[in-house]
Amino acid sequence: MPVVTVTRRLRFNAAHRIHNPALSDAENTAMFGKCNNPNWHGHNYTLDVSVTGPVDPVSGYVMDLGHLRDLVEREILDKVDHRNLNLDVPFMQGINPTSENLVVAIWNVLSPQVTPARLTRLRLWETEHNFVDYHGESA
Amino acid sequence: MPVVTVTRRLRFNAAHRIHNPALSDAENTAMFGKCNNPNWHGHNYTLDVSVTGPVDPVSGYVMDLGHLRDLVEREILDKVDHRNLNLDVPFMQGINPTSENLVVAIWNVLSPQVTPARLTRLRLWETEHNFVDYHGESA
Amino acid sequence: MPVVTVTRRLRFNAAHRIHNPALSDAENTAMFGKCNNPNWHGHNYTLDVSVTGPVDPVSGYVMDLGHLRDLVEREILDKVDHRNLNLDVPFMQGINPTSENLVVAIWNVLSPQVTPARLTRLRLWETEHNFVDYHGESA
Amino acid sequence: MPVVTVTRRLRFNAAHRIHNPALSDAENTAMFGKCNNPNWHGHNYTLDVSVTGPVDPVSGYVMDLGHLRDLVEREILDKVDHRNLNLDVPFMQGINPTSENLVVAIWNVLSPQVTPARLTRLRLWETEHNFVDYHGESA
Amino acid sequence: MPVVTVTRRLRFNAAHRIHNPALSDAENTAMFGKCNNPNWHGHNYTLDVSVTGPVDPVSGYVMDLGHLRDLVEREILDKVDHRNLNLDVPFMQGINPTSENLVVAIWNVLSPQVTPARLTRLRLWETEHNFVDYHGESA
Amino acid sequence: MPVVTVTRRLRFNAAHRIHNPALSDAENTAMFGKCNNPNWHGHNYTLDVSVTGPVDPVSGYVMDLGHLRDLVEREILDKVDHRNLNLDVPFMQGINPTSENLVVAIWNVLSPQVTPARLTRLRLWETEHNFVDYHGESA
C-alpha cells in the first residue's frame, strides 16, 4: 500500500507577549525587544497539520480530513482562537509563547489523537515571513 | 499627462479587543462575541496605501514609493506595530478598534501628508478573509 | 459619518460545463472548446462580497461580518458548494454557468438581503488567473 | 557535485466524485458525504513536481525545467485538465479519485520519465486548505 | 443586459533600470538610488487586464478570455517577457520604464484592440508590495 | 529538548542571464533559449532560510529570527538586491546564475555563520512556478 502524507491547513488569531517570567523585566526587554510589549501584540496564525499512513483501499483516504479538521478545531482552535496565548490557554500555562514553544505544545496535544495515522509534521506560520516546523524530535 | 494610482503594501501586527466603553460588559459581549475577549486577541494586518496623481514627466513617478513607505512607517507602523490598538496608539485613543474605525483613523493621519498627490484609497486586511476600503467619503 | 466598504471572502467548489442549450452541440463545441466537455470540469471558486454604508457609531461596524458570512453561507454556499452548477442549483436553472452569468445570479439573490447596507461589488474568482466583477449595472 | 531538488508548479481544473463502486450507494454516502454528490463537483488543482539530482556542471541545471513542464503537460495535464477524473482519464480508470489515489497514479506515470534525475516528491493541492505529498513509498 | 468586468491575469519577467536619459548620471543616482543600477535589476511582473461590457446573451461572456489572453500574449508578453525594458521593447523606446510609464504604454497598445468591450483597468504589480493602476485618464 | 526548524522568508530583485562563458554563443542559445537574452531579464526572488536546533529553554528560540534576518540581509541581500547576478555579485563571480548554482552559492556563504544552529534548508523561488531546494548534500 502506498504511504501518503495529508495536510490540513487551519487558521486562528491570538494575542501574545514573548516573556520569560523567570527573567527580570530588563532582561526580557533586552532579549525580546518589541515582542515583549507588556500590552501584548498579536498574529493571524496558520497551522498546517500533516499525518502520514498507508492509503486505505476502501476509502482511498489516509485519514478523513473532515475528522482531522474537527479534531484540530476542538483540541486547538477552540482554545487559542481569539484568545491570549499567555493567559487563556490551558496547554500553554507557564510557557513562553514563542512559535517554537507553541508548536511543541500543539504537537503534544494532537500526537496521541490521530492514530492509526501518525502525526509527522506541524508547520506554524506566525507571519507571512516566518514559520516553524516540528517533527516530534528531541536532542 | 496620464493620471495613475500607485499602491504600497505594508504589514503590522497588533493586539486589540472590540469593545465600546459606553456599553455595559453584557452589551459588549452580546454585540461582539469572542472579539470582545477581555484578554485581547490579535492580527497580522496588511495595509494597502493608494495615492493618485499625474505621472511626473521628469521622474516617471506619481510619487516616490520609497518616500510613501517612509511616511507610512513613521506615521503609522511605528505607532501600531507590535502594539495594543486599544491602549498604545495615540491616534486611536477612545476609539473602538474595529477595522472600519481603524482605517478611518489612519486616513486622517495620512491624507494631509501625501500632497501634491491625493490619498484615494486605503485597504486594510484584518485576516485573509476580510478587508475594509475607505476613500474619505462621509454620509 | 464616514462611509466604508467591508468585504468578506468565501470559497466553494463546484462542477460545471459551459453550454448554451439553445445551440447545437457543434455550435457549443466551436464556441466553448474544452470548457464544453460533456462530462464536466470544476473549480475552487472564491467569492468576495462587498457591502457599503456608514460606520455605525455604537458598533463601529458597517455590518456585522459574521452576519454577512452567515447570509452568504445560507443563501449561496449551501446551494453551490460541492454541487453541479448546471444541474443542482435552483437560482441557476436554465442559465449557462459562465462566471459572468453566475456572478449576476448571486447578486440577484444577495442584493435585497444586506439592507440597510448596500451590496456594491461582487468579485468571483474562477481560477487564480481570472475573475469577474459586478456592481449591479445594466446596459 | 551538489545535489539540488527543483520543483515546477502546474495547475489544472477537473470534476470528480469521491465514490467507491465496490460499495453501495448508502455506504458511499455515509463514508464520503457531500463529496459523493452524484452530479459531481470540482477543483482547481495545483501540482508541484520535484526532481532531485546533481547540478550539471555545463548547464547549471538538475534538469531543464522547460522539459519537465512539457513532460507533465503532455503526460498529465492534457489528460486531466477540464476533464472528469472518474470518467475521462485513462490512468484513473476504476480508481476512486481521492487526492491520495490521484497523486499515486500521477507518480506512476511520471516516475519512469524523469531519468537520470529522480522524481522525489509530488505535492497535490486540492484546495487552499489541503494537500497531499507522495515520495513513492509503500507499507 | 448586465454589465460585467472580466479580468485576466498574466505574468512576465524582465530586466530594467530606472533612468531618465535627459538627466546627468549624478541626477539619476540622486533621484532613483539603487533602482538606477547601470547593470540593471529585474522583476516578475503580474499584469491584470480588465475589460468591461454587457454580457452577450448567446455566449454568456463579456469577451472570450482565451481571446483576451492570446491578444495580451501576442501584443505585450512576446515583446517584454525575458527582455530588457530599456533596450528590447519597441513600445518603450525612449521611455523611462517606471511602473507608471510602463502601464500607460501597455494601455496604449491594448486599448484599441479589445472592442467592442472597453479596456477599463490595467493593474501592474512590480513586486508583492507595490502595484499601479491605470484607467486611461489624463490631467 | 525538542528540536525545531525555524524559517525566515526574505525577498530580493535582480537581473541575470543564463549563460555559460565556456560555451559558444550558438551553444548558449541552443541550451538556454530566451533565458540567454544578452540584454538580461530579471526576477523577484524569494529566499526561505531554515535553521534547525534545540529550543533554548531561556529564550524559547532556536535562534533569534531578527539576528537571522540581519545576517541574511548583510551577507546576501545587500549584495544581490537590485543588482546583476552575472556582473555585480562577489560570491557569483564566474558562476552561471541558474537557480541551482545560486542557491548553492548562498548556502556556502550562510552555512558557517548560523552556528550553533545548523543551516538545514534553503528554498529559492525564482518565479511563482518554480523553486529549488538545497540541503548541503553532494554526489
Side-chain angles (χ1 to χ4, degrees):
Chain A
M1 281 187 298
V3 172
V4 172
T5 296
V6 299
T7 299
R8 186 65 165 76
R9 174 167 288 184
L10 300 106
R11 301 181 193 276
F12 60 93
N13 312 315
H16 78 157
R17 174 195 189 196
I18 307 301
H19 185 80
N20 181 344
L23 303 178
S24 70
D25 284 359
E27 288 169 319
N28 271 292
T29 299
M31 184 170 277
F32 300 122
K34 65 184 179 179
C35 300
N36 184 243
N37 177 19
N39 286 332
W40 322 97
H41 64 284
H43 297 290
N44 303 333
Y45 289 93
T46 298
L47 177 67
D48 294 332
V49 180
S50 299
V51 301
T52 301
V55 180
D56 183 281
V58 176
S59 68
Y61 288 159
V62 167
M63 177 181 180
D64 186 315
L65 278 183
H67 296 177
L68 182 59
R69 180 201 58 213
D70 292 346
L71 169 68
V72 180
E73 288 183 344
R74 185 185 69 237
E75 297 294 332
I76 307 296
L77 269 63
D78 286 355
K79 290 166 182 152
V80 296
D81 188 41
H82 284 77
R83 302 295 176 87
N84 184 308
L85 298 176
N86 302 65
L87 301 178
D88 294 336
V89 181
F91 63 75
M92 290 296 290
Q93 291 306 305
I95 299 174
N96 183 8
T98 62
S99 293
E100 289 92 329
N101 284 337
L102 180 56
V103 79
V104 171
I106 293 173
W107 178 281
N108 291 339
V109 173
L110 293 180
S111 182
Q113 304 198 48
V114 299
T115 54
R118 284 174 297 119
L119 187 66
T120 47
R121 195 185 74 174
L122 291 179
R123 175 166 288 184
L124 180 69
W125 296 77
E126 192 181 71
T127 74
E128 297 229 341
H129 298 110
N130 62 72
F131 58 85
V132 296
D133 291 317
Y134 187 53
H135 302 85
E137 297 174 354
S138 300
Chain B
M1 281 188 299
V3 172
V4 172
T5 297
V6 298
T7 299
R8 187 64 166 76
R9 174 165 288 184
L10 300 105
R11 301 182 192 276
F12 60 93
N13 312 315
H16 78 157
R17 174 194 189 196
I18 307 301
H19 184 80
N20 181 344
L23 303 178
S24 70
D25 283 359
E27 289 169 318
N28 272 292
T29 299
M31 184 169 277
F32 300 121
K34 65 182 179 180
C35 300
N36 184 242
N37 177 18
N39 285 333
W40 323 98
H41 64 285
H43 297 289
N44 303 334
Y45 289 92
T46 298
L47 177 67
D48 294 332
V49 180
S50 299
V51 302
T52 301
V55 180
D56 183 281
V58 177
S59 68
Y61 288 158
V62 168
M63 178 182 181
D64 186 315
L65 279 183
H67 296 177
L68 181 59
R69 180 201 59 212
D70 291 345
L71 169 68
V72 181
E73 287 184 345
R74 185 184 69 236
E75 296 294 333
I76 307 298
L77 268 64
D78 287 355
K79 289 166 181 153
V80 296
D81 187 43
H82 284 76
R83 303 294 176 87
N84 184 307
L85 299 176
N86 301 64
L87 302 179
D88 293 336
V89 180
F91 63 76
M92 291 295 290
Q93 291 306 305
I95 300 174
N96 182 8
T98 63
S99 293
E100 290 93 328
N101 285 339
L102 180 56
V103 79
V104 171
I106 293 172
W107 179 281
N108 292 338
V109 173
L110 293 180
S111 182
Q113 304 198 50
V114 298
T115 52
R118 285 173 298 116
L119 187 66
T120 48
R121 194 184 75 173
L122 291 179
R123 176 166 287 184
L124 180 68
W125 297 76
E126 192 182 69
T127 73
E128 296 228 342
H129 298 111
N130 62 71
F131 58 85
V132 296
D133 290 318
Y134 187 54
H135 301 85
E137 295 173 355
S138 299
Chain C
M1 281 188 297
V3 173
V4 173
T5 296
V6 298
T7 299
R8 186 64 165 76
R9 174 166 288 184
L10 300 105
R11 300 181 194 274
F12 61 94
N13 312 316
H16 78 156
R17 175 195 189 195
I18 307 301
H19 185 81
N20 181 343
L23 303 178
S24 70
D25 283 359
E27 288 169 319
N28 272 293
T29 300
M31 184 170 278
F32 300 122
K34 65 183 178 178
C35 300
N36 185 243
N37 176 19
N39 285 334
W40 322 99
H41 63 286
H43 297 289
N44 303 334
Y45 289 93
T46 298
L47 177 67
D48 294 332
V49 181
S50 298
V51 301
T52 302
V55 181
D56 183 280
V58 177
S59 68
Y61 288 159
V62 167
M63 178 181 181
D64 187 314
L65 278 183
H67 296 176
L68 182 58
R69 181 202 57 213
D70 291 346
L71 170 67
V72 181
E73 287 184 346
R74 185 184 69 237
E75 297 294 333
I76 307 297
L77 269 63
D78 287 354
K79 290 167 181 152
V80 296
D81 187 41
H82 285 76
R83 303 294 176 90
N84 184 308
L85 298 176
N86 302 65
L87 302 178
D88 294 335
V89 180
F91 63 76
M92 290 296 290
Q93 291 306 306
I95 299 174
N96 183 8
T98 62
S99 293
E100 290 92 329
N101 284 338
L102 179 56
V103 79
V104 171
I106 294 173
W107 179 280
N108 291 339
V109 173
L110 292 180
S111 181
Q113 303 197 50
V114 298
T115 53
R118 285 173 297 118
L119 187 66
T120 48
R121 194 185 75 174
L122 291 179
R123 175 166 288 183
L124 180 68
W125 296 76
E126 192 182 69
T127 73
E128 295 228 344
H129 298 111
N130 63 71
F131 58 85
V132 296
D133 290 318
Y134 187 54
H135 302 85
E137 295 173 355
S138 299
Chain D
M1 281 188 297
V3 172
V4 172
T5 297
V6 299
T7 299
R8 186 64 166 74
R9 174 166 288 183
L10 301 105
R11 301 181 192 277
F12 60 93
N13 312 315
H16 78 155
R17 173 194 191 197
I18 307 300
H19 185 79
N20 181 344
L23 302 178
S24 71
D25 282 1
E27 288 168 319
N28 271 293
T29 300
M31 184 170 277
F32 300 122
K34 66 183 177 180
C35 300
N36 184 243
N37 177 20
N39 285 333
W40 322 97
H41 65 285
H43 297 290
N44 303 334
Y45 289 91
T46 298
L47 177 67
D48 294 333
V49 180
S50 299
V51 301
T52 301
V55 180
D56 182 281
V58 176
S59 67
Y61 288 159
V62 167
M63 177 181 179
D64 186 315
L65 278 182
H67 296 177
L68 181 59
R69 180 202 58 213
D70 292 346
L71 169 69
V72 180
E73 287 183 345
R74 184 184 70 236
E75 297 294 332
I76 306 297
L77 268 63
D78 286 354
K79 290 167 180 153
V80 296
D81 187 42
H82 284 76
R83 303 294 175 88
N84 184 308
L85 299 177
N86 302 65
L87 302 179
D88 293 336
V89 181
F91 63 75
M92 290 296 290
Q93 291 307 304
I95 300 175
N96 183 8
T98 62
S99 293
E100 289 92 329
N101 284 339
L102 180 56
V103 79
V104 171
I106 293 173
W107 179 280
N108 292 338
V109 173
L110 293 180
S111 182
Q113 305 198 48
V114 299
T115 53
R118 285 174 297 118
L119 187 66
T120 48
R121 194 185 75 174
L122 292 179
R123 175 166 287 182
L124 180 68
W125 297 76
E126 191 181 71
T127 73
E128 296 227 342
H129 298 109
N130 62 71
F131 58 85
V132 296
D133 291 317
Y134 187 53
H135 301 84
E137 296 173 354
S138 300
Chain E
M1 281 187 297
V3 172
V4 172
T5 296
V6 299
T7 299
R8 186 64 165 75
R9 174 166 289 184
L10 300 105
R11 300 182 194 276
F12 60 94
N13 312 316
H16 78 156
R17 173 195 191 197
I18 306 301
H19 185 80
N20 181 344
L23 302 178
S24 70
D25 283 359
E27 288 169 319
N28 271 293
T29 300
M31 185 170 276
F32 300 122
K34 64 182 179 181
C35 301
N36 184 243
N37 177 19
N39 285 333
W40 322 99
H41 65 285
H43 297 290
N44 302 334
Y45 288 92
T46 298
L47 177 67
D48 294 333
V49 180
S50 298
V51 301
T52 301
V55 181
D56 182 280
V58 177
S59 67
Y61 288 159
V62 168
M63 177 182 181
D64 187 315
L65 278 183
H67 296 177
L68 182 59
R69 180 202 58 213
D70 292 346
L71 169 68
V72 181
E73 288 184 344
R74 185 184 68 236
E75 298 293 334
I76 307 297
L77 269 63
D78 287 354
K79 290 166 180 152
V80 297
D81 187 41
H82 284 76
R83 302 294 175 89
N84 185 306
L85 298 176
N86 302 64
L87 302 179
D88 293 336
V89 181
F91 62 76
M92 291 296 289
Q93 291 306 305
I95 299 174
N96 182 9
T98 62
S99 293
E100 290 91 329
N101 285 339
L102 180 57
V103 78
V104 171
I106 293 173
W107 179 281
N108 291 339
V109 173
L110 292 180
S111 183
Q113 304 198 49
V114 299
T115 54
R118 285 174 297 117
L119 186 66
T120 48
R121 195 185 72 173
L122 291 179
R123 175 166 288 184
L124 180 68
W125 297 77
E126 191 181 70
T127 73
E128 296 228 341
H129 297 111
N130 61 72
F131 58 85
V132 296
D133 291 318
Y134 187 53
H135 301 85
E137 295 173 355
S138 300
Chain F
M1 281 187 296
V3 172
V4 172
T5 296
V6 299
T7 299
R8 186 64 166 74
R9 174 166 288 183
L10 300 106
R11 301 181 194 276
F12 60 93
N13 312 316
H16 78 156
R17 173 195 189 195
I18 306 301
H19 185 80
N20 181 344
L23 302 179
S24 70
D25 283 359
E27 288 169 319
N28 272 292
T29 299
M31 184 170 278
F32 300 122
K34 65 182 178 180
C35 300
N36 184 242
N37 177 19
N39 286 332
W40 323 98
H41 65 285
H43 296 290
N44 303 334
Y45 289 91
T46 299
L47 177 66
D48 294 333
V49 181
S50 298
V51 301
T52 301
V55 181
D56 182 281
V58 176
S59 68
Y61 288 158
V62 167
M63 178 182 179
D64 187 315
L65 278 183
H67 296 177
L68 182 58
R69 180 202 58 213
D70 292 345
L71 169 68
V72 180
E73 288 184 343
R74 186 185 68 237
E75 297 293 333
I76 307 297
L77 269 64
D78 287 355
K79 290 166 181 153
V80 296
D81 188 43
H82 285 75
R83 302 294 176 89
N84 184 308
L85 299 176
N86 302 64
L87 302 178
D88 294 336
V89 180
F91 63 75
M92 290 296 290
Q93 291 306 305
I95 300 175
N96 182 8
T98 62
S99 293
E100 289 92 329
N101 284 339
L102 180 56
V103 80
V104 171
I106 294 173
W107 179 280
N108 291 338
V109 173
L110 293 180
S111 183
Q113 305 198 49
V114 298
T115 53
R118 284 175 297 119
L119 187 66
T120 48
R121 194 185 73 173
L122 291 179
R123 175 166 288 183
L124 180 68
W125 297 76
E126 190 181 73
T127 74
E128 296 228 341
H129 297 112
N130 62 70
F131 59 85
V132 295
D133 291 318
Y134 187 53
H135 301 85
E137 296 173 356
S138 300

